Amino acid sequence: MTATGPGRPPRALDPADILDIESLLTDEERLIRDTVRGFVKDRVMPDIEDWFERGHFPKEVVPELGKLGLLGMHLTGYGCAGANAVSYGIACMELEAGDSGMRSAISVQGSLSMWPIWKYGSEEQKREWLPPMAAGEVIGCFGLTEPDFGSDPAGMRTSARRDGSDWILAGTKTWITNGGIADVAIVWARTDDGIQGFVVPRQTKGFSTRDIHRKLSLRASVTSELVFDDCRLPADAVLPGVSGLKGPLGTLNEARFGIVWGVMGAARSCYETALEYATSRVQFGKPIGGFQLTQRKLVEILVELGKGQLLALHLGRMKDEGRLRPEQVSFGKLNNVRAALEIAREARSILGANGITLEYPISRHMNNLESVFTYEGTHEIHTLILGEAITGLPAYR
Ligand code: TGC
Ligand code: FAD
């Protein structure tokens, strides 16, 4: 079979890109895709099963991601690459084709830690923190969720009160990606002027972390509790450019956008694995891909994958044009995470018993995607965001 297009020579139909989405990318975007894909192949794939099994995040990978220009890559200045949003999305997709933990690493560093400094920080804060964070020499984390306030961060108890010109930060954050290995935390706390963001260096007296163990999902990623026991911070620890919940929620738009793309990488990995398996595994005297029921599964996966990839690209182009709205990001997160999970479950069934092992990536992706379904706004919260967008009626409370 061949694909033709206006002014393009026919070329073989690629089962991994049947819609020829490749042709919608610029040369630079393709270069970034190939570079990150190569990194994942050489640096992540040989060890990911072991990291996942041991519950280990390879911290030494972070400066390597920095060298590739992937940390804060869609930010400008201060050592950041200044790539477009689509390129950032593509990097997320390629990293998550390896493992969601790898994509989480750049989401948390670039979107959740660097972006609020870049957007809401003072010039001094930007100069101090962004260059080493872009290089991966300094690891950041983002503390919004608390033990009693997950979907509803407006209720947070963590507080920062004035003591002279200093701040005293007190409270607990939990489920914080990279908390245990972070050199700096962006912490959202209640103040007399509403919710504000604070830049909290690791060595701050009274700041401690405890890692969360026995996770069955995102095992190749550190998740931690952050405890602030009356931490004294200087006046200039606050991010001066924002107050109110719109600070952390505005930050989340950036990372949620990356997820829209990232999960399509995990889904693609499941599809490619299932397709290869279906054409080689023989039962009843022929490859299982030759049975109509298996073909239906593969085709359903293919169609959902293609739709999700096109949606990600559409939202990416809108973001690059400066007209992407938060509700549209919710549309993408809602659809693409759900689609990726369904793809993983369907692909797993094609592998039969082999599908439940770590020898193949599918169950690992499936377990990771359960976290992605929940973090950065649960599936239900994004449903309610869209429900409000179309009815004008908020239904959260
Ligand atoms: P609401 O009254 O709607 O809004 C408060 C203020 O915020 C503004 N706002 C936004 N601004 C920018 N972007 C958005 N997406 C925004 N959504 C709301 C809003 O305009 C308002 O501004 P103002 O000026 O009027 O004050 O707030 P609400 O309390 O009713 O809550 C709404 C809700 C439920 C949608 C919100 O709380 C929410 O999104 N909850 C989910 C929490 C969440 O996503 N947490 C994620 C934690 S971080 C994480 O999971 C990282 S995982 C890391 C990894 O990748 O490893
Ligand atoms: P809850 O808010 O208690 O929700 C439980 C269930 O109730 C969900 O199904 C939810 O959708 C539903 N629900 C809640 N409210 C409503 C409603 N109004 N209507 C209908 N259903 C509702 N947080 C950070 O701040 N920083 C991080 O780096 C970070 N990393 C994470 C990494 C991992 C691996 C995980 C699992 C989580 C991480 N989180 C992080 C926390 C994550 O953002 C929260 O888990 C998420 O926001 C949901 O909060 P919760 O778990 O407390 O669930």
Side-chain angles (χ1 to χ4, degrees):
M1 258 168 124
T2 57
T4 56
R8 301 178 66 230
R11 66 181 182 82
L13 194 58
D14 178 1
D17 182 21
I18 215 156
L19 296 176
D20 198 15
I21 296 174
E22 159 105 14
S23 65
L24 303 176
L25 304 181
T26 64
D27 288 344
E28 194 183 336
E29 289 160 355
R30 279 190 217 122
L31 180 66
I32 286 171
R33 179 200 58 194
D34 294 343
T35 305
V36 183
R37 194 173 286 188
F39 174 81
V40 168
K41 180 168 170 280
D42 297 341
R43 194 64 183 88
V44 178
M45 295 323 292
D47 293 311
I48 187 60
E49 290 157 21
D50 178 54
W51 295 335
F52 188 92
E53 193 161 25
R54 288 196 287 126
H56 172 73
F57 174 71
K59 192 180 165 188
E60 63 279 8
V61 158
V62 179
E64 296 173 36
L65 295 170
K67 275 208 182 72
L68 288 176
L70 302 181
L71 303 177
M73 67 185 284
H74 61 312
L75 309 183
T76 49
Y78 309 98
C80 303
N84 67 357
V86 168
S87 297
Y88 170 53
I90 288 170
C92 287
M93 183 164 70
E94 293 306 327
L95 286 172
E96 198 152 355
D99 191 83
S100 301
M102 291 295 130
R103 194 269 309 137
S104 263
I106 73 160
S107 294
V108 170
Q109 183 81 353
S111 286
L112 294 180
S113 304
M114 295 172 69
W115 190 88
I117 296 174
W118 182 82
K119 182 72 179 174
Y120 309 133
S122 65
E123 191 54 35
E124 292 70 32
Q125 287 168 333
K126 293 178 201 187
R127 288 213 192 116
E128 178 178 359
W129 293 106
L130 294 178
M133 291 177 89
E137 293 156 5
V138 164
I139 296 179
C141 70
F142 173 88
L144 179 64
T145 304
E146 298 187 359
D148 294 332
F149 298 95
S151 297
D152 183 19
M156 71 173 67
R157 291 204 188 96
T158 298
S159 66
R161 63 179 164 80
R162 285 281 194 184
D163 184 38
S165 65
D166 288 349
W167 293 94
I168 306 294
L169 180 69
T172 302
K173 300 287 179 182
T174 193
W175 291 109
I176 307 305
T177 301
N178 282 354
I181 56 168
D183 303 293
V184 62
I186 307 300
V187 182
W188 300 93
R190 181 177 298 292
T191 74
D192 286 344
D193 297 322
I195 289 167
Q196 293 198 272
F198 292 85
V199 183
V200 186
R202 174 99 201 166
Q203 63 275 18
T204 304
K205 197 161 170 255
F207 174 20
S208 59
T209 64
R210 256 194 310 264
D211 291 347
I212 297 172
H213 295 292
R214 309 187 79 196
K215 290 180 297 171
L216 299 176
S217 171
L218 272 173
R219 289 185 54 73
S221 175
V222 175
T223 319
S224 320
E225 188 179 62
L226 314 181
V227 179
F228 306 100
D229 185 7
D230 283 343
C231 293
R232 182 172 290 277
L233 298 169
D236 62 4
V238 71
L239 294 172
V242 76
S243 71
L245 200 54
K246 63 177 179 289
L249 294 181
T251 305
L252 282 167
N253 296 330
E254 299 300 305
R256 289 169 175 173
F257 169 78
I259 287 178
V260 175
W261 281 86
V263 292
M264 287 296 105
R268 189 189 73 211
S269 164
C270 293
Y271 164 66
E272 288 174 354
T273 305
L275 181 60
E276 194 182 322
Y277 193 87
T279 49
S280 57
R281 170 75 175 168
V282 173
Q283 288 292 286
F284 298 98
K286 66 177 186 183
I288 58 171
F291 298 117
Q292 289 181 2
L293 288 174
T294 308
Q295 287 195 2
R296 181 181 178 168
K297 288 179 187 178
L298 289 168
V299 170
E300 290 298 336
I301 289 172
L302 173 77
V303 168
E304 289 309 314
L305 182 61
K307 281 160 38 182
Q309 288 171 334
L310 283 176
L311 174 58
L313 184 58
H314 175 61
L315 297 181
R317 295 288 181 229
M318 288 176 83
K319 186 163 166 59
D320 278 325
E321 289 163 14
R323 61 190 181 96
L324 183 64
R325 295 178 52 98
E327 297 84 353
Q328 294 163 332
V329 178
S330 288
F331 187 117
K333 201 231 174 209
L334 180 88
N335 182 76
N336 282 11
V337 180
R338 176 177 57 195
L341 251 180
E342 284 169 3
I343 285 169
R345 288 179 184 142
E346 197 76 300
R348 207 288 303 159
S349 78
I350 293 174
L351 269 71
N354 280 326
I356 71 157
T357 69
L358 260 178
E359 302 300 313
Y360 294 88
I362 299 180
S363 275
R364 177 169 52 79
H365 285 309
M366 190 161 64
N367 279 12
N368 286 339
L369 289 167
E370 289 293 345
S371 283
V372 185
F373 196 73
T374 286
Y375 70 34
E376 309 256 13
T378 66
H379 189 74
E380 292 76 13
I381 290 299
H382 289 291
T383 305
L384 294 175
I385 290 171
L386 284 169
E388 179 181 1
I390 57 174
T391 65
L393 302 168
Y396 312 103
R397 294 182 170 81

